[in-house]
Structures are given as structure tokens and as C-alpha cells.
Amino acid sequence: MTIKEKAQAVVEEFWMFDDWMDKYAYLIELGKDLPVIDSQFKTNNHLISGCQSRVWLHAEEQEGQIVFTADSDAVITKGIVSLLIRILSNHTPKEILEADFSFLESIGLQEHLSPTRANGLASMIKQIQLYARAFQLKSNQL
Amino acid sequence: MTIKEKAQAVVEEFWMFDDWMDKYAYLIELGKDLPVIDSQFKTNNHLISGCQSRVWLHAEEQEGQIVFTADSDAVITKGIVSLLIRILSNHTPKEILEADFSFLESIGLQEHLSPTRANGLASMIKQIQLYARAFQLKSNQL
Amino acid sequence: MAFPVNQLRNDFPILSTQVHGKPLVYFDNGATTQKPRQVIDRLVQYYETENSNVHRGAHHLSNLATVSFEGARNFIAQYINAQRTEEVIFTRGTTDSINLVASSFHSFIQKGDEVLITAMEHHSNLVPWQQLCKNKEAHLCVIQVLEDGMLDMPVARKMLSPKVKILAFTHISNVLGTINPVKELVAEAHRYNIPVLIDGAQAIAHVQVDVQELDCEFYAFSAHKAYGPMGTGVLYGKSEWLNKLPPCQFGGEMIDQVSFDKTVFNKLPYKFEAGTPNVADVLGMETALRYLDTLGIKNIQQYEDGLLEHATSSLLKIPGIKIIGRAKQKTAVISFIVEGIHPYDLGTLLDQMGIAVRTGNHCAQPLVESLGLNGTIRVSFGLYNTLSEVDYFIDSLKRAINMLL
Amino acid sequence: MAFPVNQLRNDFPILSTQVHGKPLVYFDNGATTQKPRQVIDRLVQYYETENSNVHRGAHHLSNLATVSFEGARNFIAQYINAQRTEEVIFTRGTTDSINLVASSFHSFIQKGDEVLITAMEHHSNLVPWQQLCKNKEAHLCVIQVLEDGMLDMPVARKMLSPKVKILAFTHISNVLGTINPVKELVAEAHRYNIPVLIDGAQAIAHVQVDVQELDCEFYAFSAHKAYGPMGTGVLYGKSEWLNKLPPCQFGGEMIDQVSFDKTVFNKLPYKFEAGTPNVADVLGMETALRYLDTLGIKNIQQYEDGLLEHATSSLLKIPGIKIIGRAKQKTAVISFIVEGIHPYDLGTLLDQMGIAVRTGNHCAQPLVESLGLNGTIRVSFGLYNTLSEVDYFIDSLKRAINMLL
Ligand SMILES: Cc1ncc(COP(=O)(O)O)c(C=O)c1O
Ligand SMILES: Cc1ncc(COP(=O)(O)O)c(C=O)c1O
């Protein structure tokens, strides 16, 4: 699936729930299911600032695609980062850099998040894009 | 006339005017008529603080009674001090110290004056009472 | 007479708004309080009929504004039982009041001197002193907090000495709810002639504040935490001290005479009030304190104590909950954590159910860290909160915990 | 299109009040301006539906307040054409903004350095620098004002040198109405890398303020002089400078990390905003500037210029009147004296006729004294004043002069 298709699937899943409490319950389940990041990567180096909760994000290249793993001490935050990873993991740097993040608006997430959390989300996206750019640079140099 | 009678006369004069512009016109006339203080007394020593305009007040004893003379650079202020002097000059220290200043309320002056001016008026009265107390002390010591 | 909470809730327009489709339950009164209609109306009335710069004009509006403004000072001085009206300085709030004293204290601190605070201070009553000490090579000494959230008084007594140039501590902890033994500590400090500053941010809306009884040299509070508007607050100071301290902001009414060479400052209280004062919000603050006065601060305290007891006992029935701060003397502030759950997650879900609580370190990072925590959930009550709101909160909390565990 | 003054007067509730039985004629806009309904309504709406502490909570109201508050910062940054939003610092007003810079500048001034101001400064842009120089044994140097009320530019140029560490002067004189050649002086100062602070208190409501075009390092103004609420204002600063300056008030959101030993300050703009911000009044300030923006500041200036011309020519026809300040570039401020009459007497009688003017030294004592005066009468116009109010003022003035002479 393309990033766009995966994002569309997530938006549809979210629209299934009328109630935001249910959407949160879903995010919490996602958060709990998030494959835990390798503990060697839970360092300050991998920490994303801008959240009341802490988020660690790690990226690896596998056959030209980036695989993200992440963790957070808050489970809702974990759910949000899990969403992002599900959509953006296993794509090439180019695909990630060209991705359209407006699906977040369709979910209503940004509008529903506190500014601290929205900042956190923005920081996560920025970090994901930074990783993509770094890998792109590296492969261009080869 | 006693202080009280003089004050009553002033109150009645003021009540003759319906319009505050006329009352001010009257104060201005009083101000213009105020016998000018002897210039040797227009010193910082005789200056009363607390006014946007400056007021000089001088007191002399004549046969057990206090005679006040005053000046101001603003003519309305001069009118006000002239009123006070008319009522309080030529009385004994004791009479002055016992005087009831509520006539000022009957005139409506205090309520009509700006706080700066009301402060100025309060300072004038305080200064008048200080003079009276000083003369009283002096005569008690004799 | 029962506390007329249902009636007075009608005074607070925001209480009838909805959050995420649920009625608002506002339990973040420690951060800021909501405003009664009376306070909002006072602002409107001021701007519609009295607005002017004070002290400066000789015209009618200026007179109205000046009389109202100084009348507010007079009422507030009475409300906190200051000896003199000019001991009430209008500032921007608690933080501004404390910074004013700390700045002005520069000339009273020498290298090697000590400034004494406690481990439960809000950043606003910590960092100004820390920076002062840093500038002056003085020592910032810290009275520790015991496990139950009370000050370690025997140690506190030992830390007092002639080296201490000022003691600054909070009347009531914004994290723990602890009411500190102000009178006692002030008396101890005075044995060494140490002046005392009390941070009253969390006290003014909840307990009686009588500065003469407390006998402190300085007392600071914010209007916005006592049902008044944002943007103003008070520094009370004993006049002998305020006369001694140099001003630290310059301009406007605080000046008596000025030439390019030299300035003579105005007398109290103006000396410390540089620039156009915030007349509207000061009048709003007066109205808010009159509102408290009409209800009676002791009635309010008693009522809030009831909320505190009910909430505390209900919380303790929930497995996994730990309440942080169990002092004997407390106001209606409860910090807690739930084992295995991040406070931020709980805060988010409670918010979805309409309940406003605060999570994090509450601007008291050193305290929260010293307790081995990375944050707490704090509920803090105001005079308009009800027992049934507490019940709804407890139910919502259980639901949230179930979702998160 | 004619300026819709009659229509917009309806926006200002206070303009329909009476003073001593006469309709209010408010000509004291230099001291503070009246507030349109829109601004008052914004305060009410905030307190009735959005009130909360910003940044700190994870709850709905806190989010609303934060979004509104940062939205205001964003709009205001655009309004003055700042390059970055975080270059807008919210303060209590002009005086507070200038004091902030002067305090923070302590570390940039050495013994023997110079601070350059002008002879037409308001006390708020004079005394902070004077006290800084006093503390640091630096020199306060003063650019003189010529007879017509303009700066002595050739002399100003000569006073600039590498010894000058900051140049601070007013955009527009509150006494004379003079619009100073800001761009030109800033460019001259930059030849020596001297940073420049502009006191914009009298400018923000009357002329276009484009900080990038002026190219000044700092720009200060108050909301209350631009139809906004009391209690707030702005310090604009170029981010490179704001990043360099140390904060001078501590507590609240301005802190990133803190332990008892050490504090790491937050980034811009929070670094300079200690304590709970004045959210309500900041939103009111935004509304006021939007109000100006809708009318168009150039239309306002043109309209007020009309009032200025009419008032000036009418005044000059009255015998014995002398206008103080005849600069070519002026805003609608007229200071004058009448031979043989004390300004205070005139002010009092005008007030009896419903007209609010200001008398005295207008917090610019050194300027007024250097002109050999003990005070002036000042009329200062706002966007809601009318030609017929000017006519009524002229008639009333003649009547007052007749009574007093
Ligand atoms: C030129 C000038 N600068 C500074 C100020 C001070 O402004 P504020 O009192 O709002 O701080 C004023 C107004 O009083 C002014 O006219
Ligand atoms: C104990 C305490 N001190 C100081 C403050 C600071 O108050 P403000 O932000 O109103 O200046 C607060 C509130 O935030 C507080 O709870």
C-alpha cells in the first residue's frame, strides 16, 4: 500500500467511532500494541522534545526503506506515534518526504490535541522527515 | 463673627449660584482680589506641596489672633485659599483648631475638585492647623 | 446556614459551558480561577463609564478613575489588614511581586550571605532568589519537606541564623496543599531580625490572610487566583521595609522630580508603581475580594474542606492511587499518581469527560523530582465546586484508569 | 471615502456619557484612549467562555486560551511586521518594556560607556537609562531639541560614536507631537553598530509601525494608548538581541529546567514572560489592533491630521496663545500655553464644560523645564474626535480665557 492508501485506511478506521472516548480507547490499544523499541535506542539522542510525555524514535534502513520503532512513557502518545509509524514505516525516504500529512486533519487529531501534544506531534513529524532526509543524503552519496 | 458664622455665610453665597461655572467665576474673582502675600514670604519654606499649582501661605500673630496671607500661581487655587483665609483669619489658635471643616462639603467643593486639588486643599488645611498649633504652643510657653 | 453553592454557581458564566459535549467540571483552580459576573461587570462598567489615566489629569474621568483606584487600594489594605493603605503595592501578580522584592534586595545581600527558602516553592519563589544568590555569590539554602508534605521544622529552626538575609516561603503549597505554619516561622525568623516574604498565591482565595497577625514583612498574591482578573496582584510590605528598598522599575507616577542628572522618587505606594497602572483589573480585583468577603472566607474554607475530605476518602478507595501530600493542615488541593499510568494520559481522558485537572510538575520541578516523580495529577477546588462534581470526577477517573491499565 | 467617524463613535460606549451635565469631549488620548465595544466584548467573551492559564494544562480551556493567546501574538507580530512571531514579548506596557531592556542591558554597559537619549523623552524612557548609567558609572548623553520641537540632527549625528552602547528615543513626542526621523537615526546609529530602542507609546495608534522598515532593535508600546485594555503592551526585539539579553524576571513559563542549583531558561518569547500572562488583556490588545487595521491606519492618520490642522489654525487666532511644538511632521497632539494664565486653571474650567485635556509637565519634566515652562495644556486627538468637538473646544477655551484674564 502507498502512504496515501494507508493513511486513508486509518482515517476510515477513525471515522467508525462516533465518540472521542472510543477513538482514545483505540489509540490506547494501538499504544499498548506498539512493538517496543530496542532499549539501546531509548537514549536522550532519540528523545523528541516538545511533549509533556517523552517520546523516543529510532529509524533503520532496510533494503532502501525506512523502518521506524518508537516508545513513549504515556500510552496515548504511544498510540499517536504508532499511527504515524504504521503509515510511514517501510517506505523509501523519497516517499516519506513527499507524504501529505493532511490526513491528520481528517482524523481531527490536531484539532483535538492540546497545544503541547500538537507540538509534540509536529516534533515527531519533523523528526521523521529529518531521518528520511538523512537517509536520502546518504544513499545519494553512495 | 465666629468661624462657624463666616463659614455659613460662604456656604450661602455659594448656594446662590446654580451653575458650577458661576461658582468658579466667583472663586476666580475671590482669587484675583486676594491681598497679595508679602514677597519676602514667597519662599520654599512657605510652599505647600500636593498641588499641581503652587501655594504659599504665611501666618502672623496679631493680638492673640492669627492672620493668614497667601498666594498661588493659579487663580482658582488662589480663590480657594482666599475662601479659607477669609473664614479662618483673625481667630485665635484655639478657635482654628476647633473649627469644623464640614462647610467645605456643603459647598460641594471637595467633591467637585480633582483629587490633586482635593489633596492640595487638605494640605492647606493641614498647614493652617499646623500654624495654629505652633502659635498655641508658643503662647502656652509664655 | 449551608453554603449556597448552587446559587453562587449562577454568578460564574463559564460554569454553564460545555467541554467536548460534557458540562465543564473545573478542578484547575490552583492554576487560575473562574470569574464571577460581578468581576466581569466591573471591568465593563469601568471601560464604559470611568476609563482614564489616574492621578495625572485634572479632568472628571481622571478623577473618577483615581478615586476608584485608590478606593480599591484602601479596601484591599483593609481586607488583608495592612496597617497602612500605602503598604499595598499593585503589581502584575505574585511572580512580579516576588521579583520586585528580590531585585530590590540586591543592595542588601553580600557575598557569603544566605537566602533561605523551602523545598516546596513554586519556581516563582525559587528562581528569583537563586539568581540573586548567583549574582551576589550568596548561598541559597533550602528547608526540606518531610514525607507527609510538611516542612521539617526542627531543621528549619537550625537553619535560621544572622547570616540569613531573607526567608521566603509559601503560605500554601500549590502541589501538596500544605498550609505552612507561617506565624511560627515568622516569629522564629524575627529572633534573628530576618525579614520574611510569604508567597500567598495559593492562600488568598482559601484562607484568611491577616498580614499583621502573620507579622511577615512581605506578602505576595495574584488576583487571578482569587476570582479576580488576570494582569494584576499585590505586594504587601511593611512600610519601614518598602521605604528602605530602592525601586527597580522607573517611569510615570513613581517619579517626583526629575532632571537629566537626577531623579527624586515619589513616596509610597507610587514609588514601586512605574508606568500607567492597570486600573481596570485592580478594580476587578477589589470586586473579587469583596465577593469573597461577602461569602465569608471562613465559610468558604469550611465548604472547601468538605470537598477535600470527600475527594480524599473517595480517591483512597481506588486501588493503585497514591496521594502526594498528607499534611494535617491542608487546603483543597490534591496531588496524586496512579501506579503504572502516566499523569498526562489520565489528564487527557478526564478532559474528554469535561473535567479540567492539571498534570505535570506544577512549576515546582525540584519538589516533584525530590519526591521521585515525573509529575502528578492535581485537582484543586474552588468555592463553586460541588460534591456531585467530585463524585462525577471519581467515576470518570475509574473509567479512565480502566481504559489505560 | 469619508472617514466614518459618526458611525464608529457608536462603538465607544463612554463617548455618550456626560461630564458635569455636558457631553464628554475626550481630548486626553495621549494619556490613554477609550475602548470600543469590540475590545470590551472580547474581554467578556474570554472570561465567560475561555478563561484558563495558558500553556500549562492539558485540558480544553487551557488549550483554547493558549491558542487564542498565541494567535494574538501572531497577529500582533504581523501587524508591526516583525520577522518572527517570537520577537513579540508581552509586557505590562511601554514602561515595563523599556525597563526590561534597560535592566537586561546591565551586562552590556561598562564604566565610561555612553547611553544616548533625547531631550524630549517621557520619564519612562529617561529614568531607566539614567539609573542604569548611575549604577554602571556610564554617561547619559542627551540630544537636544530645537525651538520648533525637532531633534537637532546635525548634533545627534556627532554624538554617535563607538562609545554609545544604546540609543533610545521616542517615535513621537507626547508633549510636542513631533514625529522623529526614526529610520534616518537608526541608520546612522547602525553605522557604529549601536542598537536602537524606540518608544512607540504615542505612535502605535496614530501612524504605521513597521519594525522591519524602521530597522530598530527594540520597539515598545502600550495597549491602552491604542484603544486596547490597560495592563498589557509589547516589547518587540530582534531575535538575535532578545536571545543575547538575559531575562530579568524569573518564574513560571520562562523556565525550562530548574533545580536548586541551576536554571535553564525557556526559549523566546517565553524567556521574558515570567508569571501567569495577562491573557484577557492581550486578547483585548489584539482586538484593538484589528480594529485599527480594519479602519486602516493611514485613513486614521489622514483624518487626525485634519483635526490637527483645524485645531491649530483655530488656536492661533486666539490672542495670547502660544503653541509649543511646531515640527513639520506632527501627530494630532497640541501643547499650548496662554499668556498670563496657569494651565491648571484652564484645565479646570474646560473640564467644567465637559472637555478632558491634560495639564502639567506630561511626565516630561526636563523637556518642559528646558522650554522655560512650568506646564502646558495638551489636547491630543483620537480617531473618534470630530471637527465640531474641536469647534466646541475653541469656544469653550475662549470663554475660559475671558473668565480668567
Ligand atoms: C512617549 C511615552 N512613552 C512612554 C509612556 C509610558 O507608557 P505607559 O505608562 O503605558 O507604560 C508614555 C505614556 O504615558 C508616553 O507618552
Ligand atoms: C505557590 C505559587 N506561587 C507563585 C505562583 C505564581 O503566580 P503568578 O503566575 O500569578 O505570578 C503560583 C501560581 O502559579 C503559585 O501556585
Side-chain angles (χ1 to χ4, degrees):
Chain A
M1 280 207 283
T2 63
I3 289 182
K4 200 166 170 183
E5 283 160 355
K6 287 198 274 178
Q8 188 53 34
V10 168
V11 170
E12 277 162 23
E13 271 170 32
F14 258 81
W15 277 100
M16 274 170 39
F17 307 108
D18 301 333
D19 187 340
W20 264 92
M21 280 305 273
D22 295 332
K23 298 190 195 197
Y24 271 104
Y26 180 63
L27 278 177
I28 291 167
E29 292 318 311
L30 288 180
K32 288 182 184 163
D33 293 347
L34 182 70
V36 178
I37 196 174
D38 196 310
S39 64
Q40 61 168 310
F41 300 125
K42 270 175 86 169
T43 61
N44 281 345
N45 252 346
H46 289 80
L47 201 61
I48 298 175
S49 64
C51 311
Q52 235 194 61
S53 51
R54 289 178 296 174
V55 174
W56 297 266
L57 182 71
H58 176 65
E60 275 178 16
E61 205 181 343
Q62 286 179 5
E63 304 167 18
Q65 296 191 327
I66 310 185
V67 177
F68 293 101
T69 49
D71 200 0
S72 169
D73 52 357
V75 69
I76 296 176
T77 314
K78 226 164 132 176
I80 294 170
V81 71
S82 151
L83 258 187
L84 282 180
I85 287 185
R86 200 169 109 199
I87 296 171
L88 297 163
S89 228
N90 299 309
H91 286 280
T92 63
K94 184 163 179 288
E95 285 165 348
I96 292 170
L97 287 171
E98 286 169 358
D100 174 4
F101 287 89
S102 63
F103 68 90
L104 292 168
E105 279 162 44
S106 316
I107 297 179
L109 248 185
Q110 246 151 340
E111 165 209 330
H112 229 259
L113 292 178
S114 67
T116 19
R117 235 180 199 135
N119 274 342
L121 185 59
S123 308
M124 287 182 218
I125 291 171
K126 216 165 123 191
Q127 192 59 39
I128 285 173
Q129 290 171 327
L130 275 177
Y131 274 124
R133 200 156 300 132
F135 283 116
Q136 196 178 40
L137 269 169
K138 218 172 77 184
S139 64
N140 286 350
Q141 284 167 354
L142 291 180
Chain B
M1 279 208 284
T2 63
I3 289 183
K4 200 167 167 177
E5 284 161 355
K6 287 199 272 179
Q8 187 53 36
V10 167
V11 171
E12 276 162 23
E13 273 171 28
F14 259 82
W15 277 100
M16 274 170 39
F17 306 109
D18 301 331
D19 187 340
W20 264 92
M21 281 304 275
D22 295 332
K23 299 191 194 196
Y24 271 101
Y26 179 62
L27 278 176
I28 292 167
E29 291 320 311
L30 287 180
K32 288 182 185 162
D33 292 347
L34 182 69
V36 178
I37 197 173
D38 195 311
S39 63
Q40 61 169 310
F41 300 124
K42 270 176 87 168
T43 62
N44 280 346
N45 253 346
H46 290 80
L47 201 61
I48 299 176
S49 65
C51 312
Q52 234 194 64
S53 51
R54 289 178 298 173
V55 174
W56 299 266
L57 183 70
H58 176 65
E60 274 178 16
E61 206 181 343
Q62 285 178 7
E63 304 166 19
Q65 298 191 325
I66 310 185
V67 177
F68 294 101
T69 50
D71 200 1
S72 169
D73 52 358
V75 69
I76 295 175
T77 313
K78 226 165 131 176
I80 294 169
V81 72
S82 151
L83 258 186
L84 281 180
I85 288 183
R86 202 170 104 199
I87 295 171
L88 296 163
S89 229
N90 299 311
H91 286 279
T92 64
K94 186 163 177 288
E95 287 165 346
I96 292 170
L97 287 171
E98 285 168 357
D100 172 8
F101 287 89
S102 62
F103 68 89
L104 291 168
E105 279 162 44
S106 316
I107 295 179
L109 247 186
Q110 246 151 340
E111 165 210 328
H112 230 259
L113 290 179
S114 67
T116 18
R117 237 182 197 131
N119 274 343
L121 185 59
S123 309
M124 286 183 218
I125 290 171
K126 213 163 126 192
Q127 193 59 38
I128 285 173
Q129 290 171 326
L130 274 177
Y131 276 124
R133 198 156 300 133
F135 283 116
Q136 196 176 39
L137 268 169
K138 218 173 74 188
S139 62
N140 286 352
Q141 284 166 352
L142 291 181
Chain C
M1 198 195 72
F3 192 71
V5 65
N6 290 320
Q7 189 185 317
L8 62 82
R9 281 179 69 85
N10 293 327
D11 290 338
F12 293 81
I14 207 170
L15 295 183
S16 51
T17 59
Q18 303 235 322
V19 166
H20 305 307
K22 307 279 177 347
L24 169 65
V25 174
Y26 188 76
F27 282 177
D28 194 17
N29 295 285
T32 199
T33 51
Q34 301 304 336
K35 320 306 173 201
R37 200 171 24 77
Q38 288 85 338
V39 168
I40 302 172
D41 286 352
R42 186 70 189 90
L43 301 178
V44 172
Q45 188 199 330
Y46 173 75
Y47 284 127
E48 289 190 347
T49 65
E50 296 166 83
N51 174 59
S52 173
N53 214 320
V54 295
H55 300 302
R56 304 188 180 162
H59 58 75
H60 175 73
L61 285 180
S62 176
N63 300 345
L64 281 185
T66 305
V67 168
S68 296
F69 184 66
E70 294 303 332
R73 194 192 306 275
N74 204 32
F75 175 77
I76 294 169
Q78 278 172 36
Y79 186 80
I80 61 170
N81 194 28
Q83 206 176 351
R84 300 150 179 271
T85 300
E86 69 263 29
E87 293 179 326
V88 169
I89 310 293
F90 293 125
T91 65
R92 199 167 43 193
T94 311
T95 304
D96 194 30
S97 298
I98 298 172
N99 275 279
L100 191 165
V101 178
S103 286
S104 298
F105 241 77
H106 265 75
S107 34
F108 292 86
I109 303 278
Q110 312 290 327
K111 187 171 169 172
D113 282 347
E114 293 178 0
V115 170
L116 191 56
I117 63 169
T118 84
M120 66 167 85
E121 297 312 314
H122 186 278
H123 298 167
S124 294
N125 198 28
L126 188 178
V127 184
W129 305 114
Q130 180 191 60
Q131 299 294 314
L132 169 64
C133 289
K134 199 177 137 199
N135 283 338
K136 290 291 184 167
E137 300 180 54
H139 304 293
L140 184 70
C141 304
V142 183
I143 301 172
Q144 289 310 313
V145 175
L146 300 172
E147 237 251 294
D148 58 4
M150 313 226 288
L151 290 179
D152 190 338
M153 286 295 284
V155 167
R157 272 181 214 106
K158 282 194 204 122
M159 294 177 88
L160 292 167
S161 84
K163 281 177 117 178
V164 176
K165 289 298 169 286
I166 187 164
L167 164 63
F169 67 99
T170 194
H171 194 158
I172 292 172
S173 161
N174 67 316
V175 177
L176 309 166
T178 313
I179 306 178
N180 283 318
V182 175
K183 247 177 100 167
E184 198 184 328
L185 252 177
V186 169
E188 299 272 358
H190 284 177
R191 292 175 50 200
Y192 301 92
N193 290 318
I194 302 168
V196 183
L197 176 142
I198 304 296
D199 172 352
Q202 293 296 333
I204 190 73
H206 303 285
V207 299
Q208 192 172 13
V209 173
D210 178 331
V211 290
Q212 287 191 70
E213 201 200 328
L214 298 177
D215 202 23
C216 54
E217 276 62 37
F218 304 102
Y219 196 95
F221 63 87
S222 306
H224 75 95
K225 292 192 198 268
Y227 312 100
M230 291 176 143
T232 192
V234 163
L235 172 67
Y236 157 82
K238 284 186 185 167
S239 57
E240 64 199 269
W241 270 96
L242 292 178
N243 279 321
K244 248 193 305 212
L245 292 182
C248 54
Q249 284 214 331
F250 312 98
E253 277 303 302
M254 61 77 66
I255 289 156
D256 183 33
Q257 298 275 334
V258 54
S259 69
F260 290 118
D261 298 327
K262 188 170 160 245
T263 297
V264 179
F265 301 124
N266 205 337
K267 60 183 198 287
L268 289 180
Y270 313 114
K271 176 177 149 188
F272 290 106
E273 295 178 356
T276 299
N278 186 350
V279 186
D281 291 331
V282 163
L283 300 183
M285 169 160 64
E286 177 196 12
T287 305
L289 294 179
R290 284 186 188 276
Y291 187 87
L292 293 184
D293 208 31
T294 304
L295 288 174
I297 192 76
K298 292 198 169 153
N299 299 328
I300 294 170
Q301 191 177 2
Q302 196 181 2
Y303 176 73
E304 291 177 355
D305 280 349
L307 297 174
L308 174 67
E309 273 165 41
H310 182 58
T312 304
S313 62
S314 309
L315 276 172
L316 288 174
K317 287 189 199 123
I318 302 177
I321 283 208
K322 188 175 165 206
I323 291 182
I324 314 297
R326 305 296 312 269
K328 269 178 231 102
Q329 304 282 326
K330 267 190 77 165
T331 50
V333 168
I334 311 177
S335 265
F336 65 94
I337 52 169
V338 185
E339 225 173 284
I341 294 183
H342 195 286
Y344 195 34
D345 285 327
L346 265 183
T348 303
L349 294 183
L350 289 172
D351 181 51
Q352 288 302 319
M353 297 184 266
I355 303 167
V357 302
R358 181 141 175 224
T359 59
N361 63 41
H362 318 295
C363 287
Q365 207 174 308
L367 172 65
V368 172
E369 282 175 5
S370 77
L371 297 167
L373 305 170
N374 61 4
T376 75
I377 300 142
R378 181 185 73 182
V379 294
S380 50
F381 302 125
L383 54 82
Y384 36 62
N385 291 129
T386 65
L387 290 171
S388 60
E389 284 182 324
V390 172
D391 289 334
Y392 175 70
F393 157 70
I394 294 288
D395 289 344
S396 306
L397 180 64
K398 286 180 190 160
R399 182 173 169 200
I401 292 174
N402 275 336
M403 283 171 71
L404 289 163
L405 271 186
Chain D
M1 199 194 71
F3 192 70
V5 65
N6 290 321
Q7 188 186 319
L8 62 81
R9 281 179 68 85
N10 292 328
D11 289 337
F12 293 81
I14 208 169
L15 295 183
S16 50
T17 59
Q18 303 235 322
V19 166
H20 305 306
K22 306 280 178 346
L24 169 66
V25 173
Y26 188 76
F27 282 177
D28 194 17
N29 295 286
T32 199
T33 52
Q34 301 303 336
K35 319 307 172 199
R37 200 170 25 75
Q38 289 85 339
V39 168
I40 303 172
D41 286 351
R42 186 71 190 90
L43 301 179
V44 172
Q45 188 200 330
Y46 173 75
Y47 284 127
E48 289 190 348
T49 65
E50 297 166 84
N51 174 58
S52 173
N53 214 320
V54 296
H55 299 303
R56 302 184 182 168
H59 60 74
H60 176 72
L61 286 180
S62 177
N63 300 344
L64 281 185
T66 305
V67 168
S68 296
F69 184 66
E70 293 303 332
R73 194 192 306 275
N74 203 31
F75 174 77
I76 294 168
Q78 278 171 35
Y79 186 80
I80 61 171
N81 195 28
Q83 208 177 348
R84 299 150 178 271
T85 300
E86 70 263 30
E87 294 178 326
V88 169
I89 310 292
F90 293 125
T91 65
R92 199 166 44 196
T94 310
T95 304
D96 194 30
S97 298
I98 297 171
N99 276 278
L100 191 166
V101 178
S103 286
S104 297
F105 241 78
H106 264 74
S107 35
F108 292 86
I109 303 279
Q110 313 288 329
K111 186 171 168 171
D113 282 347
E114 293 178 359
V115 170
L116 190 57
I117 62 168
T118 85
M120 64 167 84
E121 298 311 313
H122 186 278
H123 297 168
S124 294
N125 198 28
L126 189 178
V127 185
W129 305 113
Q130 180 191 60
Q131 299 295 314
L132 169 64
C133 290
K134 199 177 138 200
N135 283 338
K136 291 287 184 171
E137 299 179 55
H139 304 292
L140 185 69
C141 304
V142 183
I143 301 171
Q144 287 311 312
V145 175
L146 300 172
E147 238 252 294
D148 58 5
M150 313 227 285
L151 290 179
D152 191 338
M153 286 295 284
V155 167
R157 270 179 215 108
K158 281 192 204 122
M159 294 176 88
L160 292 166
S161 84
K163 283 178 117 181
V164 176
K165 288 299 171 282
I166 188 164
L167 164 63
F169 67 99
T170 194
H171 194 158
I172 292 170
S173 161
N174 66 317
V175 178
L176 309 166
T178 312
I179 305 178
N180 283 319
V182 175
K183 245 178 102 168
E184 199 183 328
L185 251 178
V186 170
E188 299 272 356
H190 284 176
R191 291 175 51 200
Y192 301 92
N193 290 319
I194 302 168
V196 183
L197 177 142
I198 304 297
D199 173 351
Q202 293 295 334
I204 190 71
H206 303 284
V207 300
Q208 191 171 14
V209 173
D210 179 331
V211 289
Q212 287 192 71
E213 201 199 329
L214 298 176
D215 202 23
C216 54
E217 276 60 38
F218 304 102
Y219 196 94
F221 63 87
S222 307
H224 75 95
K225 292 191 198 268
Y227 311 101
M230 291 176 143
T232 192
V234 164
L235 172 67
Y236 157 83
K238 285 186 185 168
S239 57
E240 62 198 273
W241 271 96
L242 292 179
N243 280 320
K244 246 192 311 211
L245 292 182
C248 54
Q249 285 214 330
F250 311 99
E253 278 301 302
M254 59 78 65
I255 288 156
D256 184 32
Q257 298 274 333
V258 53
S259 67
F260 290 119
D261 298 328
K262 189 173 160 239
T263 297
V264 179
F265 301 123
N266 204 339
K267 59 184 201 287
L268 288 180
Y270 313 114
K271 176 176 149 189
F272 290 106
E273 295 178 356
T276 300
N278 186 350
V279 186
D281 292 331
V282 163
L283 300 183
M285 169 160 64
E286 177 196 11
T287 305
L289 293 179
R290 283 186 188 276
Y291 187 88
L292 293 184
D293 207 32
T294 304
L295 288 174
I297 193 74
K298 292 202 169 149
N299 299 329
I300 295 170
Q301 190 176 2
Q302 196 180 3
Y303 176 73
E304 290 177 355
D305 280 350
L307 297 174
L308 174 68
E309 272 166 43
H310 182 56
T312 305
S313 64
S314 308
L315 276 172
L316 288 175
K317 286 188 198 123
I318 302 178
I321 283 208
K322 188 175 165 206
I323 291 181
I324 314 296
R326 305 297 313 270
K328 269 178 231 102
Q329 303 284 324
K330 266 188 77 165
T331 50
V333 168
I334 311 177
S335 265
F336 65 94
I337 52 169
V338 186
E339 223 171 288
I341 294 184
H342 196 286
Y344 196 33
D345 285 327
L346 264 183
T348 304
L349 293 183
L350 289 171
D351 180 51
Q352 287 301 320
M353 297 183 264
I355 303 166
V357 303
R358 180 141 176 223
T359 59
N361 63 41
H362 318 295
C363 287
Q365 208 174 308
L367 172 66
V368 172
E369 282 175 5
S370 77
L371 297 167
L373 305 170
N374 61 3
T376 76
I377 300 143
R378 182 186 74 181
V379 294
S380 50
F381 302 124
L383 54 82
Y384 37 61
N385 291 129
T386 66
L387 289 171
S388 60
E389 283 182 323
V390 172
D391 289 334
Y392 174 70
F393 157 71
I394 294 289
D395 289 343
S396 305
L397 180 65
K398 286 181 189 159
R399 182 173 169 201
I401 293 174
N402 275 337
M403 283 170 72
L404 289 164
L405 271 186

